[in-house]
Amino acid sequence: MGATDGESLGPYNLLSTLGAGGFGEVHLALDPDGRTVAVKILHPHVAADATALTRLAREVETMRRVEGAHVAEVLDASMENPRPYIVTRYVQGRPLSAVVSGDGPVEGEDLVRLALGLAEALVAIHAAGVVHRDLKPANVILTDGEPVVIDFGIASALDSASVTVSGAVLGTPGYLPPEVLEGADAGPAADLFSFGATLAHAATGRHPYGTGPASAVGYRVVHHEPDLEGVPGWLGPVLQECMRRDPAERPSAGETLARLEAEAPAVHPAVPRPRRPFAAPAGQRPPAVQSPSAGRSPADREGTADPGGVAARGPGGVAGAPATEKTGVHALTTREWRPGRRPTPGKPSTEEALRHRRAVVHRRWVVGTGLLVSLAAATARSPLPEVSLLLLAGYGSVVVVDGGVALFARKDRVRAVVDLAGGVGAVVLWAVLGTFFSTLTLALALGTVVFVLVAILLSS
């Protein structure tokens, strides 16, 4: 692949390597607007398979319809040789597999949030007509206590003879359902089995079908019952239904989510569940620009798994906006990532929060420096009147310049008013302090304030 830090790939600037899996190497990157994304560059043996790339180009158009609070959305892709890549949302957090191995089983409210979040992710994925097929602890990222599912849909598009012979494995033992191990097609029911196995591992800290050679684990999946000892009572029956051997007997993602929403609050009523809406179903979204493979029969949505479980992990964003047409044999659409596109109801966007924070810092600066300058000028009023006036004049000049810039350049009247009020307030406070307090009292007060400020600076 040969990708190095600091290199550009299309419009993306690669920053660092995050890891590698069976189909590609993932890099932390910056998009043209300077926001972090994850770029998965396909391995050379995958890039050399024209059939696999054609299928992937077709599947990417479907994968991009998947949006939700608990999925790492596909934002962009390019199938042009020699280095095809896929861009996804970059999620900050730890893989569920690392959380369980490092911290032990997930319990209490955290387990409720994990179960509901994974179920919501599958509802969003299946609503777009996508099957993940490789849902497992390594493909679930926990960020702020909420799960985000990564790496959905890629394996199904790359399930070709040349790719699998070149080294990609067909899944993760213990998390692939019996029908896939026996060679049958993987439908949405396969994801429900993997969902149950993933939650069983999270709740118990054990792999539900044990460890050992892949053949031995696979045999247990087909012929034995999963190890669910230690799973909480509200969750155990749901996992048993999801991990039934016959895929026809498993519930759908929507049924599982409804069941969990009914059962989980009864056990953990204090868990807040802010419901964030998913994207509209695929039929209600604007059609994406089709790849050259449009018109062929749809590709199967099963495929080999990415054993590395590598995907977007780090500071994040959300899904994109309108598409722009690309040129080339494998034309794909590009959606710009706009974090403020679908904000959570009642929650300010990132830009609004940043503007509010800047306004708060500015007010604190004006008030704090005004108090300090007034106290210092009042202290020097009797013995050093020139210094007193110089301090007031300097402070007044600063706030007047800042207020002028805010009013005429930034059209920010609030900031200008704050600056004006700060300047007037400093003069009034200087006059009051100089009139009612002695120079010695003011000097002691000034020394105390300076001492406190220095202590705060040193401690921070």
Side-chain angles (χ1 to χ4, degrees), residues 28-57:
L28 173 64
L30 292 178
D31 72 359
D33 293 326
R35 292 171 293 208
T36 50
V37 294
V39 177
K40 186 163 193 172
I41 306 174
L42 302 182
H43 286 317
H45 71 269
V46 179
D49 189 335
T51 302
L53 291 184
T54 301
R55 293 181 64 184
L56 182 57

Side-chain angles (χ1 to χ4, degrees), residues 17 44 71 78 114 168 207 240 252 303 309 334 338 360 436 455:
T17 303
V71 293
S78 173
L114 174 63
H207 296 288
Q240 288 178 343
S252 67
T334 301
R338 298 183 183 275
V360 171
F436 294 99

